[in-house]
Amino acid sequence: MSIVVTGATGHLGRHVVEQLLGKVPAEGITAVVRDEAKAADLAARGVRLAVADYNAPETFDGVFAAGDKVLLISGSEVDKGRPAQHQVVIDAAKAAGVALLAYTSAPARLSAALADDHRATEEALLASGLPYSLLRNGWYHENYTENLGPVLEHNAVVAAAGEGRVSSASRADYAAAAVAVLTGEGHENTAYELGGDEAWSFAEYAAELSRQTGKEIAYHSVSTEALVGVLTGAGLPEAFAAILAGVDASIEKGELVVSTGDLSRLAGRPTTPMSEAIAAALKG
């Protein structure tokens, strides 16, 4: 039996594998990657590599074995039909007879278009009959802190979220929850609503940035249409800009506030405060 992580060299996948290495022997971990070279450091530490691509079903032949626990990290190619990509993994996992397939989904309350692929994947996973765990990840601190350049350049936080609040957490926090499910018992046929312990507003986010940088950084609440214009002006494709603006609209409606406590409970510790994520990003 192995613990198998797809997308293992991605932002979240690397955190998961790193934390698994602290809990189980390296030879009990399989990292599924598209580019073997990007995982050379993991192979050097004893992690088994499997080269496979969501867009090429045949590459998943033999990746899984009976009894494996698998983490399907959702694909990042929102323009390539993610439910079909995820179906490839579900089919291969079912054929192998894995013991658990955990999937990084989105909060159940999220109505933004971004959630559509996740809902479709959840339906496919339930229809497969596989033992499953739905890890409904909320928003990530890094969605904001990894792109502070324009904010600091213009001394402005721009969002179409009004006074809405966000229960974000760090990738490492979400990875800890996934590791708990992959290494623990009793997580079959479960759904966890995951988010940070403390929700924040964009005005509070701007105030914290001001405090830590010593600059006057203001929050500008704009319409979704205006935000699409800002994002496309910064070089994002219009379709992706519209998806992000849609998430802001959901934030305004309170759909990214998660108050279950599932994340800190699974991680076994409080979630990382946004202020710490900002401090780490500013240190760079």
Side-chain angles (χ1 to χ4, degrees), residues 196-232:
D197 295 336
E198 294 176 23
W200 50 268
S201 69
F202 284 89
E204 290 167 348
Y205 174 61
E208 182 61 26
L209 282 167
S210 299
R211 188 184 72 78
Q212 292 199 29
T213 61
K215 296 178 160 198
E216 284 290 323
I217 297 174
Y219 167 45
H220 298 283
S221 180
V222 300
S223 68
T224 52
E225 293 79 14
L227 183 61
V228 169
V230 169
L231 295 173
T232 52

PDB file of all heavy atoms in Angstrom, residues 196-232:
ATOM      1  N   GLY A 196      -9.883  28.950   7.179  1.00  0.00           N
ATOM      2  CA  GLY A 196      -9.102  29.471   8.286  1.00  0.00           C
ATOM      3  C   GLY A 196      -9.948  29.779   9.509  1.00  0.00           C
ATOM      4  O   GLY A 196     -11.162  29.974   9.422  1.00  0.00           O
ATOM      5  N   ASP A 197      -9.288  29.834  10.664  1.00  0.00           N
ATOM      6  CA  ASP A 197      -9.996  30.091  11.922  1.00  0.00           C
ATOM      7  C   ASP A 197     -10.582  31.490  11.977  1.00  0.00           C
ATOM      8  O   ASP A 197     -11.595  31.715  12.644  1.00  0.00           O
ATOM      9  CB  ASP A 197      -9.033  29.922  13.112  1.00  0.00           C
ATOM     10  CG  ASP A 197      -8.548  28.484  13.267  1.00  0.00           C
ATOM     11  OD1 ASP A 197      -9.258  27.567  12.802  1.00  0.00           O
ATOM     12  OD2 ASP A 197      -7.461  28.284  13.860  1.00  0.00           O
ATOM     13  N   GLU A 198      -9.933  32.453  11.319  1.00  0.00           N
ATOM     14  CA  GLU A 198     -10.369  33.846  11.399  1.00  0.00           C
ATOM     15  C   GLU A 198     -10.687  34.388  10.003  1.00  0.00           C
ATOM     16  O   GLU A 198      -9.837  34.368   9.123  1.00  0.00           O
ATOM     17  CB  GLU A 198      -9.269  34.716  12.023  1.00  0.00           C
ATOM     18  CG  GLU A 198      -8.982  34.386  13.471  1.00  0.00           C
ATOM     19  CD  GLU A 198      -7.820  35.193  14.024  1.00  0.00           C
ATOM     20  OE1 GLU A 198      -7.534  36.280  13.475  1.00  0.00           O
ATOM     21  OE2 GLU A 198      -7.188  34.725  14.979  1.00  0.00           O
ATOM     22  N   ALA A 199     -11.911  34.877   9.846  1.00  0.00           N
ATOM     23  CA  ALA A 199     -12.280  35.526   8.583  1.00  0.00           C
ATOM     24  C   ALA A 199     -11.855  36.991   8.631  1.00  0.00           C
ATOM     25  O   ALA A 199     -11.813  37.604   9.696  1.00  0.00           O
ATOM     26  CB  ALA A 199     -13.785  35.431   8.364  1.00  0.00           C
ATOM     27  N   TRP A 200     -11.510  37.537   7.468  1.00  0.00           N
ATOM     28  CA  TRP A 200     -11.073  38.937   7.384  1.00  0.00           C
ATOM     29  C   TRP A 200     -11.768  39.611   6.202  1.00  0.00           C
ATOM     30  O   TRP A 200     -12.217  38.947   5.261  1.00  0.00           O
ATOM     31  CB  TRP A 200      -9.548  39.015   7.219  1.00  0.00           C
ATOM     32  CG  TRP A 200      -8.998  38.139   6.133  1.00  0.00           C
ATOM     33  CD1 TRP A 200      -8.548  36.854   6.253  1.00  0.00           C
ATOM     34  CD2 TRP A 200      -8.870  38.458   4.734  1.00  0.00           C
ATOM     35  NE1 TRP A 200      -8.154  36.352   5.030  1.00  0.00           N
ATOM     36  CE2 TRP A 200      -8.337  37.315   4.087  1.00  0.00           C
ATOM     37  CE3 TRP A 200      -9.146  39.603   3.981  1.00  0.00           C
ATOM     38  CZ2 TRP A 200      -8.087  37.284   2.714  1.00  0.00           C
ATOM     39  CZ3 TRP A 200      -8.905  39.573   2.612  1.00  0.00           C
ATOM     40  CH2 TRP A 200      -8.379  38.419   1.996  1.00  0.00           C
ATOM     41  N   SER A 201     -11.842  40.933   6.274  1.00  0.00           N
ATOM     42  CA  SER A 201     -12.397  41.721   5.169  1.00  0.00           C
ATOM     43  C   SER A 201     -11.239  42.361   4.399  1.00  0.00           C
ATOM     44  O   SER A 201     -10.112  42.439   4.899  1.00  0.00           O
ATOM     45  CB  SER A 201     -13.320  42.814   5.704  1.00  0.00           C
ATOM     46  OG  SER A 201     -12.553  43.802   6.391  1.00  0.00           O
ATOM     47  N   PHE A 202     -11.512  42.839   3.215  1.00  0.00           N
ATOM     48  CA  PHE A 202     -10.444  43.468   2.429  1.00  0.00           C
ATOM     49  C   PHE A 202      -9.986  44.786   3.047  1.00  0.00           C
ATOM     50  O   PHE A 202      -8.832  45.169   2.899  1.00  0.00           O
ATOM     51  CB  PHE A 202     -10.885  43.641   0.972  1.00  0.00           C
ATOM     52  CG  PHE A 202     -10.844  42.348   0.207  1.00  0.00           C
ATOM     53  CD1 PHE A 202     -11.945  41.506   0.177  1.00  0.00           C
ATOM     54  CD2 PHE A 202      -9.686  41.946  -0.439  1.00  0.00           C
ATOM     55  CE1 PHE A 202     -11.902  40.298  -0.497  1.00  0.00           C
ATOM     56  CE2 PHE A 202      -9.626  40.737  -1.122  1.00  0.00           C
ATOM     57  CZ  PHE A 202     -10.736  39.914  -1.144  1.00  0.00           C
ATOM     58  N   ALA A 203     -10.896  45.465   3.741  1.00  0.00           N
ATOM     59  CA  ALA A 203     -10.483  46.688   4.451  1.00  0.00           C
ATOM     60  C   ALA A 203      -9.474  46.323   5.552  1.00  0.00           C
ATOM     61  O   ALA A 203      -8.471  47.030   5.751  1.00  0.00           O
ATOM     62  CB  ALA A 203     -11.699  47.387   5.041  1.00  0.00           C
ATOM     63  N   GLU A 204      -9.731  45.218   6.249  1.00  0.00           N
ATOM     64  CA  GLU A 204      -8.807  44.757   7.296  1.00  0.00           C
ATOM     65  C   GLU A 204      -7.476  44.294   6.691  1.00  0.00           C
ATOM     66  O   GLU A 204      -6.408  44.524   7.257  1.00  0.00           O
ATOM     67  CB  GLU A 204      -9.448  43.634   8.112  1.00  0.00           C
ATOM     68  CG  GLU A 204     -10.595  44.112   8.984  1.00  0.00           C
ATOM     69  CD  GLU A 204     -11.436  42.974   9.540  1.00  0.00           C
ATOM     70  OE1 GLU A 204     -11.286  41.816   9.084  1.00  0.00           O
ATOM     71  OE2 GLU A 204     -12.266  43.252  10.423  1.00  0.00           O
ATOM     72  N   TYR A 205      -7.575  43.652   5.539  1.00  0.00           N
ATOM     73  CA  TYR A 205      -6.370  43.208   4.829  1.00  0.00           C
ATOM     74  C   TYR A 205      -5.506  44.409   4.446  1.00  0.00           C
ATOM     75  O   TYR A 205      -4.293  44.428   4.669  1.00  0.00           O
ATOM     76  CB  TYR A 205      -6.799  42.410   3.594  1.00  0.00           C
ATOM     77  CG  TYR A 205      -5.694  41.988   2.658  1.00  0.00           C
ATOM     78  CD1 TYR A 205      -4.660  41.160   3.081  1.00  0.00           C
ATOM     79  CD2 TYR A 205      -5.694  42.403   1.319  1.00  0.00           C
ATOM     80  CE1 TYR A 205      -3.651  40.762   2.206  1.00  0.00           C
ATOM     81  CE2 TYR A 205      -4.699  42.008   0.442  1.00  0.00           C
ATOM     82  CZ  TYR A 205      -3.683  41.182   0.891  1.00  0.00           C
ATOM     83  OH  TYR A 205      -2.692  40.796   0.025  1.00  0.00           O
ATOM     84  N   ALA A 206      -6.133  45.444   3.892  1.00  0.00           N
ATOM     85  CA  ALA A 206      -5.398  46.659   3.523  1.00  0.00           C
ATOM     86  C   ALA A 206      -4.792  47.321   4.754  1.00  0.00           C
ATOM     87  O   ALA A 206      -3.650  47.805   4.715  1.00  0.00           O
ATOM     88  CB  ALA A 206      -6.327  47.630   2.800  1.00  0.00           C
ATOM     89  N   ALA A 207      -5.533  47.320   5.864  1.00  0.00           N
ATOM     90  CA  ALA A 207      -5.029  47.925   7.103  1.00  0.00           C
ATOM     91  C   ALA A 207      -3.816  47.157   7.622  1.00  0.00           C
ATOM     92  O   ALA A 207      -2.835  47.759   8.108  1.00  0.00           O
ATOM     93  CB  ALA A 207      -6.135  47.955   8.156  1.00  0.00           C
ATOM     94  N   GLU A 208      -3.848  45.830   7.517  1.00  0.00           N
ATOM     95  CA  GLU A 208      -2.708  45.021   7.975  1.00  0.00           C
ATOM     96  C   GLU A 208      -1.497  45.235   7.083  1.00  0.00           C
ATOM     97  O   GLU A 208      -0.355  45.320   7.567  1.00  0.00           O
ATOM     98  CB  GLU A 208      -3.105  43.540   8.010  1.00  0.00           C
ATOM     99  CG  GLU A 208      -2.021  42.588   8.527  1.00  0.00           C
ATOM    100  CD  GLU A 208      -1.586  42.870   9.951  1.00  0.00           C
ATOM    101  OE1 GLU A 208      -2.385  43.426  10.736  1.00  0.00           O
ATOM    102  OE2 GLU A 208      -0.432  42.540  10.297  1.00  0.00           O
ATOM    103  N   LEU A 209      -1.722  45.348   5.784  1.00  0.00           N
ATOM    104  CA  LEU A 209      -0.626  45.667   4.877  1.00  0.00           C
ATOM    105  C   LEU A 209      -0.024  47.030   5.210  1.00  0.00           C
ATOM    106  O   LEU A 209       1.202  47.205   5.211  1.00  0.00           O
ATOM    107  CB  LEU A 209      -1.120  45.661   3.424  1.00  0.00           C
ATOM    108  CG  LEU A 209      -1.295  44.293   2.758  1.00  0.00           C
ATOM    109  CD1 LEU A 209      -2.086  44.430   1.468  1.00  0.00           C
ATOM    110  CD2 LEU A 209       0.057  43.646   2.480  1.00  0.00           C
ATOM    111  N   SER A 210      -0.886  47.995   5.506  1.00  0.00           N
ATOM    112  CA  SER A 210      -0.410  49.334   5.879  1.00  0.00           C
ATOM    113  C   SER A 210       0.444  49.258   7.134  1.00  0.00           C
ATOM    114  O   SER A 210       1.518  49.874   7.218  1.00  0.00           O
ATOM    115  CB  SER A 210      -1.601  50.268   6.128  1.00  0.00           C
ATOM    116  OG  SER A 210      -2.393  50.405   4.964  1.00  0.00           O
ATOM    117  N   ARG A 211      -0.036  48.499   8.112  1.00  0.00           N
ATOM    118  CA  ARG A 211       0.691  48.371   9.386  1.00  0.00           C
ATOM    119  C   ARG A 211       2.074  47.769   9.179  1.00  0.00           C
ATOM    120  O   ARG A 211       3.066  48.241   9.748  1.00  0.00           O
ATOM    121  CB  ARG A 211      -0.125  47.509  10.352  1.00  0.00           C
ATOM    122  CG  ARG A 211       0.421  47.468  11.772  1.00  0.00           C
ATOM    123  CD  ARG A 211      -0.370  46.530  12.659  1.00  0.00           C
ATOM    124  NE  ARG A 211      -0.150  45.127  12.341  1.00  0.00           N
ATOM    125  CZ  ARG A 211       0.929  44.435  12.713  1.00  0.00           C
ATOM    126  NH1 ARG A 211       1.892  45.017  13.400  1.00  0.00           N
ATOM    127  NH2 ARG A 211       1.045  43.166  12.390  1.00  0.00           N
ATOM    128  N   GLN A 212       2.142  46.738   8.346  1.00  0.00           N
ATOM    129  CA  GLN A 212       3.416  46.028   8.191  1.00  0.00           C
ATOM    130  C   GLN A 212       4.385  46.731   7.242  1.00  0.00           C
ATOM    131  O   GLN A 212       5.597  46.523   7.339  1.00  0.00           O
ATOM    132  CB  GLN A 212       3.168  44.589   7.719  1.00  0.00           C
ATOM    133  CG  GLN A 212       2.478  43.726   8.769  1.00  0.00           C
ATOM    134  CD  GLN A 212       2.653  42.236   8.511  1.00  0.00           C
ATOM    135  OE1 GLN A 212       3.649  41.805   7.934  1.00  0.00           O
ATOM    136  NE2 GLN A 212       1.689  41.443   8.940  1.00  0.00           N
ATOM    137  N   THR A 213       3.872  47.524   6.328  1.00  0.00           N
ATOM    138  CA  THR A 213       4.767  48.199   5.368  1.00  0.00           C
ATOM    139  C   THR A 213       5.044  49.648   5.738  1.00  0.00           C
ATOM    140  O   THR A 213       5.996  50.256   5.226  1.00  0.00           O
ATOM    141  CB  THR A 213       4.150  48.199   3.945  1.00  0.00           C
ATOM    142  OG1 THR A 213       2.907  48.921   3.984  1.00  0.00           O
ATOM    143  CG2 THR A 213       3.920  46.780   3.439  1.00  0.00           C
ATOM    144  N   GLY A 214       4.212  50.221   6.620  1.00  0.00           N
ATOM    145  CA  GLY A 214       4.365  51.635   6.950  1.00  0.00           C
ATOM    146  C   GLY A 214       3.825  52.546   5.859  1.00  0.00           C
ATOM    147  O   GLY A 214       4.020  53.759   5.895  1.00  0.00           O
ATOM    148  N   LYS A 215       3.136  51.954   4.859  1.00  0.00           N
ATOM    149  CA  LYS A 215       2.539  52.755   3.780  1.00  0.00           C
ATOM    150  C   LYS A 215       1.053  52.950   4.052  1.00  0.00           C
ATOM    151  O   LYS A 215       0.455  52.210   4.840  1.00  0.00           O
ATOM    152  CB  LYS A 215       2.687  52.020   2.435  1.00  0.00           C
ATOM    153  CG  LYS A 215       4.114  51.821   1.964  1.00  0.00           C
ATOM    154  CD  LYS A 215       4.079  51.029   0.656  1.00  0.00           C
ATOM    155  CE  LYS A 215       5.376  51.220  -0.117  1.00  0.00           C
ATOM    156  NZ  LYS A 215       5.210  50.831  -1.530  1.00  0.00           N
ATOM    157  N   GLU A 216       0.472  53.911   3.367  1.00  0.00           N
ATOM    158  CA  GLU A 216      -0.985  54.088   3.431  1.00  0.00           C
ATOM    159  C   GLU A 216      -1.589  53.292   2.285  1.00  0.00           C
ATOM    160  O   GLU A 216      -1.571  53.739   1.136  1.00  0.00           O
ATOM    161  CB  GLU A 216      -1.349  55.572   3.308  1.00  0.00           C
ATOM    162  CG  GLU A 216      -1.099  56.379   4.573  1.00  0.00           C
ATOM    163  CD  GLU A 216      -2.076  56.020   5.697  1.00  0.00           C
ATOM    164  OE1 GLU A 216      -3.258  55.749   5.404  1.00  0.00           O
ATOM    165  OE2 GLU A 216      -1.627  55.971   6.859  1.00  0.00           O
ATOM    166  N   ILE A 217      -2.090  52.113   2.591  1.00  0.00           N
ATOM    167  CA  ILE A 217      -2.672  51.251   1.556  1.00  0.00           C
ATOM    168  C   ILE A 217      -4.179  51.198   1.773  1.00  0.00           C
ATOM    169  O   ILE A 217      -4.639  50.829   2.854  1.00  0.00           O
ATOM    170  CB  ILE A 217      -2.050  49.840   1.599  1.00  0.00           C
ATOM    171  CG1 ILE A 217      -0.549  49.937   1.284  1.00  0.00           C
ATOM    172  CG2 ILE A 217      -2.753  48.899   0.623  1.00  0.00           C
ATOM    173  CD1 ILE A 217       0.214  48.645   1.431  1.00  0.00           C
ATOM    174  N   ALA A 218      -4.925  51.601   0.767  1.00  0.00           N
ATOM    175  CA  ALA A 218      -6.387  51.696   0.887  1.00  0.00           C
ATOM    176  C   ALA A 218      -7.062  50.554   0.135  1.00  0.00           C
ATOM    177  O   ALA A 218      -6.510  49.994  -0.816  1.00  0.00           O
ATOM    178  CB  ALA A 218      -6.866  53.027   0.324  1.00  0.00           C
ATOM    179  N   TYR A 219      -8.265  50.206   0.588  1.00  0.00           N
ATOM    180  CA  TYR A 219      -9.080  49.221  -0.119  1.00  0.00           C
ATOM    181  C   TYR A 219     -10.058  49.949  -1.024  1.00  0.00           C
ATOM    182  O   TYR A 219     -10.802  50.812  -0.574  1.00  0.00           O
ATOM    183  CB  TYR A 219      -9.836  48.342   0.885  1.00  0.00           C
ATOM    184  CG  TYR A 219     -10.932  47.493   0.268  1.00  0.00           C
ATOM    185  CD1 TYR A 219     -10.726  46.785  -0.921  1.00  0.00           C
ATOM    186  CD2 TYR A 219     -12.180  47.381   0.879  1.00  0.00           C
ATOM    187  CE1 TYR A 219     -11.723  46.014  -1.484  1.00  0.00           C
ATOM    188  CE2 TYR A 219     -13.192  46.600   0.331  1.00  0.00           C
ATOM    189  CZ  TYR A 219     -12.954  45.923  -0.851  1.00  0.00           C
ATOM    190  OH  TYR A 219     -13.945  45.150  -1.414  1.00  0.00           O
ATOM    191  N   HIS A 220     -10.036  49.582  -2.305  1.00  0.00           N
ATOM    192  CA  HIS A 220     -10.973  50.142  -3.275  1.00  0.00           C
ATOM    193  C   HIS A 220     -11.943  49.047  -3.699  1.00  0.00           C
ATOM    194  O   HIS A 220     -11.548  48.090  -4.366  1.00  0.00           O
ATOM    195  CB  HIS A 220     -10.231  50.689  -4.499  1.00  0.00           C
ATOM    196  CG  HIS A 220      -9.294  51.809  -4.174  1.00  0.00           C
ATOM    197  ND1 HIS A 220      -9.736  53.098  -3.938  1.00  0.00           N
ATOM    198  CD2 HIS A 220      -7.953  51.834  -4.019  1.00  0.00           C
ATOM    199  CE1 HIS A 220      -8.686  53.874  -3.665  1.00  0.00           C
ATOM    200  NE2 HIS A 220      -7.604  53.129  -3.703  1.00  0.00           N
ATOM    201  N   SER A 221     -13.179  49.189  -3.295  1.00  0.00           N
ATOM    202  CA  SER A 221     -14.210  48.229  -3.685  1.00  0.00           C
ATOM    203  C   SER A 221     -14.786  48.664  -5.024  1.00  0.00           C
ATOM    204  O   SER A 221     -15.278  49.785  -5.160  1.00  0.00           O
ATOM    205  CB  SER A 221     -15.312  48.184  -2.623  1.00  0.00           C
ATOM    206  OG  SER A 221     -16.310  47.260  -2.995  1.00  0.00           O
ATOM    207  N   VAL A 222     -14.713  47.786  -6.006  1.00  0.00           N
ATOM    208  CA  VAL A 222     -15.182  48.123  -7.356  1.00  0.00           C
ATOM    209  C   VAL A 222     -16.223  47.102  -7.796  1.00  0.00           C
ATOM    210  O   VAL A 222     -16.441  46.075  -7.140  1.00  0.00           O
ATOM    211  CB  VAL A 222     -14.003  48.154  -8.363  1.00  0.00           C
ATOM    212  CG1 VAL A 222     -12.967  49.188  -7.966  1.00  0.00           C
ATOM    213  CG2 VAL A 222     -13.344  46.768  -8.483  1.00  0.00           C
ATOM    214  N   SER A 223     -16.863  47.368  -8.910  1.00  0.00           N
ATOM    215  CA  SER A 223     -17.827  46.410  -9.469  1.00  0.00           C
ATOM    216  C   SER A 223     -17.078  45.239 -10.093  1.00  0.00           C
ATOM    217  O   SER A 223     -15.888  45.331 -10.401  1.00  0.00           O
ATOM    218  CB  SER A 223     -18.682  47.093 -10.538  1.00  0.00           C
ATOM    219  OG  SER A 223     -17.873  47.409 -11.670  1.00  0.00           O
ATOM    220  N   THR A 224     -17.790  44.133 -10.303  1.00  0.00           N
ATOM    221  CA  THR A 224     -17.147  42.974 -10.942  1.00  0.00           C
ATOM    222  C   THR A 224     -16.679  43.336 -12.346  1.00  0.00           C
ATOM    223  O   THR A 224     -15.612  42.902 -12.788  1.00  0.00           O
ATOM    224  CB  THR A 224     -18.098  41.762 -10.998  1.00  0.00           C
ATOM    225  OG1 THR A 224     -19.326  42.159 -11.582  1.00  0.00           O
ATOM    226  CG2 THR A 224     -18.346  41.195  -9.615  1.00  0.00           C
ATOM    227  N   GLU A 225     -17.468  44.165 -13.052  1.00  0.00           N
ATOM    228  CA  GLU A 225     -17.082  44.568 -14.414  1.00  0.00           C
ATOM    229  C   GLU A 225     -15.782  45.371 -14.382  1.00  0.00           C
ATOM    230  O   GLU A 225     -14.887  45.164 -15.215  1.00  0.00           O
ATOM    231  CB  GLU A 225     -18.188  45.408 -15.053  1.00  0.00           C
ATOM    232  CG  GLU A 225     -19.483  44.665 -15.344  1.00  0.00           C
ATOM    233  CD  GLU A 225     -20.353  44.470 -14.106  1.00  0.00           C
ATOM    234  OE1 GLU A 225     -20.101  45.121 -13.068  1.00  0.00           O
ATOM    235  OE2 GLU A 225     -21.282  43.643 -14.181  1.00  0.00           O
ATOM    236  N   ALA A 226     -15.690  46.281 -13.409  1.00  0.00           N
ATOM    237  CA  ALA A 226     -14.474  47.090 -13.293  1.00  0.00           C
ATOM    238  C   ALA A 226     -13.274  46.216 -12.956  1.00  0.00           C
ATOM    239  O   ALA A 226     -12.169  46.426 -13.480  1.00  0.00           O
ATOM    240  CB  ALA A 226     -14.661  48.172 -12.235  1.00  0.00           C
ATOM    241  N   LEU A 227     -13.494  45.209 -12.101  1.00  0.00           N
ATOM    242  CA  LEU A 227     -12.382  44.326 -11.726  1.00  0.00           C
ATOM    243  C   LEU A 227     -11.902  43.521 -12.933  1.00  0.00           C
ATOM    244  O   LEU A 227     -10.690  43.344 -13.127  1.00  0.00           O
ATOM    245  CB  LEU A 227     -12.793  43.384 -10.594  1.00  0.00           C
ATOM    246  CG  LEU A 227     -11.664  42.474 -10.081  1.00  0.00           C
ATOM    247  CD1 LEU A 227     -10.502  43.293  -9.518  1.00  0.00           C
ATOM    248  CD2 LEU A 227     -12.178  41.499  -9.036  1.00  0.00           C
ATOM    249  N   VAL A 228     -12.835  43.057 -13.747  1.00  0.00           N
ATOM    250  CA  VAL A 228     -12.441  42.344 -14.970  1.00  0.00           C
ATOM    251  C   VAL A 228     -11.560  43.244 -15.829  1.00  0.00           C
ATOM    252  O   VAL A 228     -10.534  42.809 -16.370  1.00  0.00           O
ATOM    253  CB  VAL A 228     -13.679  41.862 -15.760  1.00  0.00           C
ATOM    254  CG1 VAL A 228     -13.278  41.369 -17.150  1.00  0.00           C
ATOM    255  CG2 VAL A 228     -14.395  40.749 -15.005  1.00  0.00           C
ATOM    256  N   GLY A 229     -11.915  44.518 -15.929  1.00  0.00           N
ATOM    257  CA  GLY A 229     -11.114  45.474 -16.691  1.00  0.00           C
ATOM    258  C   GLY A 229      -9.722  45.650 -16.117  1.00  0.00           C
ATOM    259  O   GLY A 229      -8.732  45.685 -16.861  1.00  0.00           O
ATOM    260  N   VAL A 230      -9.635  45.730 -14.793  1.00  0.00           N
ATOM    261  CA  VAL A 230      -8.333  45.868 -14.127  1.00  0.00           C
ATOM    262  C   VAL A 230      -7.465  44.638 -14.405  1.00  0.00           C
ATOM    263  O   VAL A 230      -6.277  44.750 -14.747  1.00  0.00           O
ATOM    264  CB  VAL A 230      -8.518  46.063 -12.600  1.00  0.00           C
ATOM    265  CG1 VAL A 230      -7.181  45.927 -11.871  1.00  0.00           C
ATOM    266  CG2 VAL A 230      -9.143  47.420 -12.303  1.00  0.00           C
ATOM    267  N   LEU A 231      -8.061  43.459 -14.266  1.00  0.00           N
ATOM    268  CA  LEU A 231      -7.300  42.215 -14.416  1.00  0.00           C
ATOM    269  C   LEU A 231      -6.866  41.985 -15.863  1.00  0.00           C
ATOM    270  O   LEU A 231      -5.737  41.548 -16.117  1.00  0.00           O
ATOM    271  CB  LEU A 231      -8.122  41.032 -13.906  1.00  0.00           C
ATOM    272  CG  LEU A 231      -8.437  41.043 -12.405  1.00  0.00           C
ATOM    273  CD1 LEU A 231      -9.405  39.917 -12.035  1.00  0.00           C
ATOM    274  CD2 LEU A 231      -7.157  40.929 -11.573  1.00  0.00           C
ATOM    275  N   THR A 232      -7.758  42.264 -16.817  1.00  0.00           N
ATOM    276  CA  THR A 232      -7.362  42.091 -18.219  1.00  0.00           C
ATOM    277  C   THR A 232      -6.301  43.127 -18.586  1.00  0.00           C
ATOM    278  O   THR A 232      -5.384  42.844 -19.360  1.00  0.00           O
ATOM    279  CB  THR A 232      -8.573  42.207 -19.174  1.00  0.00           C
ATOM    280  OG1 THR A 232      -9.266  43.423 -18.900  1.00  0.00           O
ATOM    281  CG2 THR A 232      -9.521  41.034 -18.988  1.00  0.00           C
TER     282      THR A 232
END
